[in-house]
Amino acid sequence: MVLGALEKQLRVLPLFEYASIPTKEKFALKAHRDPKLQGLGVLGRGQLFSLFHAEHLAEATKLYEVLIGAKTFEEFLDLCHQVRDFVNEGLYVYAVSVAILHRPDCKGVSLPPIQEIFPDKFVTVQTLYDAFKEFWQNPHKEEDVIVDMQTTGNILDPEYNLAYYREDIGINAHHWHWHLVYPATWRPEVIGKVKDRKGELFYYMHQQMCARYDCERLSNGMPRMEPFHNFHEPLEGYSSHLSSSINGLPYPSRPDGMTLQDLKEVSVQDLERWRDRISDAIHIGHVEDENGSHVPLDDTRGIDILGAMVEASYESINQAFYGSIHNWGHVISARVLDPDGRYHLNPGVMSDTATSLRDPIFYRWHRFIDNMFQDYKETLPHYNHSDLEFPGIEITKVLLNAEHTNNINTFKEFSMLDLSHAYEFGRDGAVKVRFSHLNHEDFHYKIQVENHTSKTKPATVRIFMAPKYDELGNELDTKNLRRLMIEMDKFHAEIHPGHNTIVRHSKDSSVTISSARSFGQLAHGEGINEHANEYCSCGWPDHLLVPRGDEKGMPFHLFVMLTDWLHDQVGDHGKTGMCTDAVSYCGAKDQLYPDRRPMGFPFDRHIELEHLKDWVLPNMKDTLITVTHHEEIHNHNH
Ligand code: CUO
């Protein structure tokens, strides 16, 4: 029998329901276990799974490889049922998710949102308690119970000003999904699918998260962050108010002033050694593989090699020597409160991709990581005219159309998160959390282009934004500006001889995904079909496409550039195939990255001139816009 996508979707959803509790299925019995599952179950249940931890990830890899290797959809489901109750809860959800994203027979099947599978990783524990209290007290089982999200602090901690951003549900879900699509241990020769430019994408996606975070800081009148490069420096405090539903223990709160401590798996000195070796390699211009051969860090493959090495991933060169600095940094910073495990504490939020973005140290750690990549980029020559120009093509005017021209309004808005698929409430009505998040009005770009040639020219349109002023009110020079440039969109357009007007809507951005479908919507089969090619759960949330801005109208550069698509194009530019909704940060699934240029081009390299206006060519346009924040909350519920 051939199952359709809808039927598969309905059979996959229960795999993720009530994931924190055992199912007591007959499969849990050892006697029923497939021999392929031998050796699994090492990480105990009730432990917090971390895909930054080499041993956890090794076990998860073993499981997802078995699940991807299952011959039929039925066998795959059967194996999932068998492992569900004996492997670790978080490891199970991770491995099953990776398998669904990569099994050809799961084409068209969507993953339910991680925030509905493990709401305890997204919703403060006092909010969950409020929900339980409300539900016990409400005898009308058909009614929805709705509680408001409780916050995690106040502005006595200045960093709390950014909590709305760090603790945003969509941003954390994006990060979880990104690491599902790009597992550090991906073995192309085993699974038969290459992850093109995976190391470079690791660098670029995280570079963009840092840039976006700094745009957000400047929007809030906060200075840009300091990189965490001195591993003995005290950490700032953070309290997530999260508590794990698989073991009841909180994610520990970190008071101000703690420092990194050695773990039995890795020491602070290991991190320092790896940092220095990588830094040496960057400045010498090559890395040394296991046999002592030199692998050049040239301008075509250098960033991809470095990205893999720094993460580290399966593709890392000479991991024995260059180590795994980024991953262990996550683990070590999550365990400062109980480094040797004597108190049986949970690790902090830094060790889980679904929670790490909440902690201010995440961004400082990644700013340090990004600075290593930027050190490398500084060794490359700056782009010259022939790299940047597009002969015959001139952008004459760029307008941003919204309520007011060249201004984007941002505001707060309420959304709901349904808890009913994670906890069994035994009622018809749902139990929901109401939370506020940043959002922006819809807008579109209107780009006027002259084609001075007599031929139609296919073009790549590249759109970026960056703040005009730094934290002190000084105009940012190109050296600083390029680090803050956030990609807004990238798309293909045909430029006919003469005058052209390109109109592009913010909703179509190549950075964002169309809004995620909830567990309930998927259970009703909404939008499920084999040929669905828009939704793959990876992508920046649309509500955070635009930085907050400020109440006065914060000035931003809106930078638009057209390049020659015939030169940029790779494959079919991601126009066919699955999951091409959010290619900028997530790539096109199972295909080559659909842009030949280095990621972040043209801002990935040093710019030789101090002022952006002196550097722009006719195929570029720098327009001043403002982003105005309105404090009132819009009520737009679903
Ligand atoms: Cu995504 Cu450090 O890799 O968080």
Side-chain angles (χ1 to χ4, degrees):
M1 182 180 65
V2 181
L3 294 181
L6 176 59
E7 191 160 1
K8 286 180 182 165
Q9 181 73 60
L10 297 180
R11 294 186 65 191
V12 152
L13 284 176
L15 298 174
F16 296 100
E17 226 162 6
Y18 316 130
S20 303
I21 39 176
T23 58
K24 300 203 187 62
E25 288 189 27
K26 67 178 188 324
F27 296 113
L29 297 173
K30 219 170 174 178
H32 290 102
R33 246 174 245 165
D34 191 301
K36 287 202 280 284
L37 302 174
Q38 247 175 27
L40 293 167
V42 182
L43 178 66
R45 289 180 62 84
Q47 305 285 313
L48 291 196
F49 167 70
S50 168
L51 57 84
F52 297 122
H53 193 293
E55 286 160 34
H56 299 194
L57 185 57
E59 186 183 348
T61 304
K62 190 167 171 186
L63 179 53
Y64 78 60
E65 288 185 356
V66 168
L67 295 178
I68 293 176
K71 294 278 177 303
T72 62
F73 182 72
E74 294 301 330
E75 188 196 346
F76 161 66
L77 278 188
D78 183 49
L79 288 168
C80 292
H81 287 292
Q82 288 186 49
V83 287
R84 169 151 182 177
D85 285 334
F86 86 93
V87 302
N88 174 274
E89 300 86 338
L91 186 149
Y92 163 84
V93 167
Y94 171 76
V96 174
S97 302
V98 173
I100 290 173
L101 284 178
H102 296 95
R103 284 187 64 86
D105 59 7
C106 289
K107 199 173 167 196
V109 174
S110 289
L111 293 175
I114 184 68
Q115 57 270 41
E116 286 191 65
I117 302 173
F118 286 130
D120 52 320
K121 297 182 194 236
F122 298 84
V123 175
T124 51
V125 66
Q126 66 270 41
T127 314
L128 292 178
Y129 261 83
D130 285 348
F132 294 136
K133 283 188 279 192
E134 276 291 311
F135 134 77
W136 283 319
Q137 283 166 359
N138 187 331
H140 306 292
K141 286 192 180 300
E142 64 293 341
E143 278 178 14
D144 283 0
V145 165
I146 295 169
V147 295
D148 281 313
M149 181 79 96
Q150 303 267 5
T151 54
T152 58
N154 62 41
I155 47 141
L156 289 180
D157 171 18
E159 292 298 322
Y160 180 74
N161 283 309
L162 273 301
Y164 73 90
Y165 193 81
R166 287 184 274 103
E167 295 169 357
D168 182 85
I169 291 178
I171 208 180
N172 279 283
H174 157 72
H175 189 235
W176 160 263
H177 283 291
W178 191 90
H179 282 275
L180 286 181
V181 181
Y182 293 96
T185 45
W186 190 256
R187 298 197 294 168
E189 72 279 15
V190 174
I191 307 175
K193 284 175 185 163
V194 177
K195 297 277 179 188
D196 184 41
R197 294 165 74 182
K198 179 165 167 283
E200 184 179 6
L201 198 50
F202 170 79
Y203 134 75
Y204 183 57
M205 201 287 288
H206 291 88
Q207 184 275 332
Q208 285 284 292
M209 286 203 303
C210 290
R212 286 179 170 274
Y213 189 58
D214 268 343
C215 289
E216 210 64 28
R217 294 183 71 85
L218 292 174
S219 296
N220 284 279
M222 305 271 290
R224 287 167 285 170
M225 59 182 147
E226 293 290 326
F228 188 78
H229 51 217
N230 168 6
F231 301 160
H232 300 280
E233 185 190 328
L235 304 168
E236 58 269 67
Y238 177 65
S239 180
S240 69
H241 291 228
L242 298 181
S243 201
S244 171
S245 289
I246 65 167
N247 62 20
L249 287 168
Y251 289 76
S253 298
R254 184 182 64 233
D256 250 332
M258 315 250 343
T259 51
L260 300 187
Q261 304 293 318
D262 294 346
L263 308 179
K264 71 175 187 328
E265 300 94 327
V266 65
S267 67
V268 178
Q269 208 178 35
D270 288 330
L271 296 187
E272 290 177 321
R273 233 187 327 259
W274 298 333
R275 176 191 64 197
D276 297 343
R277 286 171 182 172
I278 294 169
S279 178
D280 287 351
I282 289 168
H283 294 287
I284 293 168
H286 63 253
V287 297
E288 233 175 81
D289 71 10
E290 287 82 350
N291 310 315
S293 309
H294 293 179
V295 182
L297 293 173
D298 57 29
D299 60 358
T300 48
R301 287 202 49 230
I303 189 68
D304 198 39
I305 292 171
L306 263 183
M309 206 164 91
V310 167
E311 185 178 3
S313 82
Y314 174 69
E315 269 129 22
S316 292
I317 292 173
N318 202 352
Q319 210 179 116
F321 186 70
Y322 295 109
S324 177
I325 187 168
H326 156 266
N327 285 348
W328 282 120
H330 273 271
V331 176
I332 213 167
S333 59
R335 301 240 302 254
V336 291
L337 278 126
D338 189 16
D340 60 7
R342 68 179 67 183
Y343 303 119
H344 287 196
L345 297 187
N346 276 340
V349 292
M350 266 295 272
S351 72
D352 187 333
T353 50
T355 56
S356 53
L357 270 67
R358 312 175 87 81
D359 191 331
I361 197 64
F362 173 91
Y363 302 88
R364 298 187 56 208
W365 178 247
H366 268 279
R367 182 51 100 203
F368 152 69
I369 295 288
D370 190 53
N371 281 356
M372 292 203 285
F373 294 128
Q374 299 298 337
D375 277 352
Y376 159 72
K377 288 281 187 177
E378 292 282 325
T379 67
L380 303 175
H382 61 73
Y383 292 116
N384 55 35
H385 265 224
S386 64
D387 300 316
L388 297 168
E389 68 185 353
F390 192 175
I393 300 297
E394 184 189 2
I395 306 180
T396 51
K397 195 172 179 66
V398 171
L399 280 181
L400 187 142
N401 284 331
E403 188 191 351
H404 303 290
T405 303
N406 288 352
N407 174 70
I408 308 171
N409 291 317
T410 68
F411 44 84
K412 292 272 171 68
E413 185 177 276
F414 282 123
S415 286
M416 297 280 195
L417 178 65
D418 188 353
L419 304 178
S420 319
H421 299 277
Y423 308 109
E424 222 170 341
F425 293 104
R427 55 188 297 137
D428 296 334
V431 179
K432 290 180 175 174
V433 174
R434 190 173 79 134
F435 61 97
S436 72
H437 57 84
L438 184 65
N439 205 348
H440 57 84
E441 63 181 328
D442 287 344
F443 56 91
H444 59 266
Y445 313 97
K446 205 167 163 190
I447 305 163
Q448 313 276 5
V449 185
E450 289 299 324
N451 178 348
H452 300 293
T453 75
S454 56
K455 289 205 178 72
T456 294
K457 298 269 186 182
T460 309
V461 183
R462 301 165 191 273
I463 306 181
F464 292 86
M465 265 175 77
K468 191 170 164 67
Y469 300 105
D470 70 9
E471 48 279 299
L472 298 175
N474 300 317
E475 192 163 342
L476 287 152
D477 59 10
T478 50
K479 185 173 171 19
N480 288 289
L481 197 57
R482 72 171 195 85
R483 302 287 303 269
L484 290 167
M485 279 288 178
I486 55 174
E487 185 171 332
M488 299 297 286
D489 206 345
K490 181 161 67 179
F491 58 94
H492 168 247
E494 294 285 317
I495 313 296
H496 304 292
H499 185 72
N500 296 260
T501 303
I502 304 169
V503 176
R504 175 80 168 181
H505 200 275
S506 59
K507 280 265 182 286
D508 296 326
S509 166
S510 63
V511 169
T512 58
I513 40 168
S514 13
S515 66
R517 271 166 290 161
S518 67
F519 219 117
Q521 287 169 318
L522 292 171
H524 286 107
E526 279 182 37
I528 313 284
N529 73 73
E530 272 91 323
H531 312 290
N533 100 1
E534 74 298 347
Y535 180 61
C536 301
S537 38
C538 187
W540 194 254
D542 176 66
H543 65 264
L544 294 184
L545 177 63
V546 181
R548 175 188 181 275
D550 64 22
E551 288 74 6
K552 299 193 298 288
M554 178 170 161
F556 276 83
H557 295 270
L558 174 66
F559 177 88
V560 180
M561 177 181 195
L562 266 61
T563 55
D564 187 346
W565 185 78
L566 295 175
H567 171 90
D568 305 336
Q569 173 221 17
V570 173
D572 65 0
H573 205 75
K575 273 190 296 196
T576 57
M578 300 288 292
C579 299
T580 53
D581 189 25
V583 291
S584 290
Y585 297 168
C586 295
K589 190 175 171 188
D590 302 337
Q591 298 171 73
L592 298 179
Y593 190 81
D595 180 7
R596 193 185 307 276
R597 307 275 187 161
M599 296 178 196
F601 175 85
F603 295 110
D604 65 309
R605 291 199 195 171
H606 172 69
I607 293 172
E608 74 281 20
L609 299 172
E610 194 183 334
H611 301 294
L612 194 65
K613 66 176 188 333
D614 301 329
W615 176 76
V616 297
L617 298 175
N619 58 315
M620 307 175 186
K621 191 92 190 160
D622 178 35
T623 308
L624 188 69
I625 62 163
T626 50
V627 179
T628 309
H629 184 66
H630 304 270
E631 211 32 68
E632 76 271 19
I633 298 188
H634 286 206
N635 224 334
H636 161 81
N637 266 333
H638 30 83

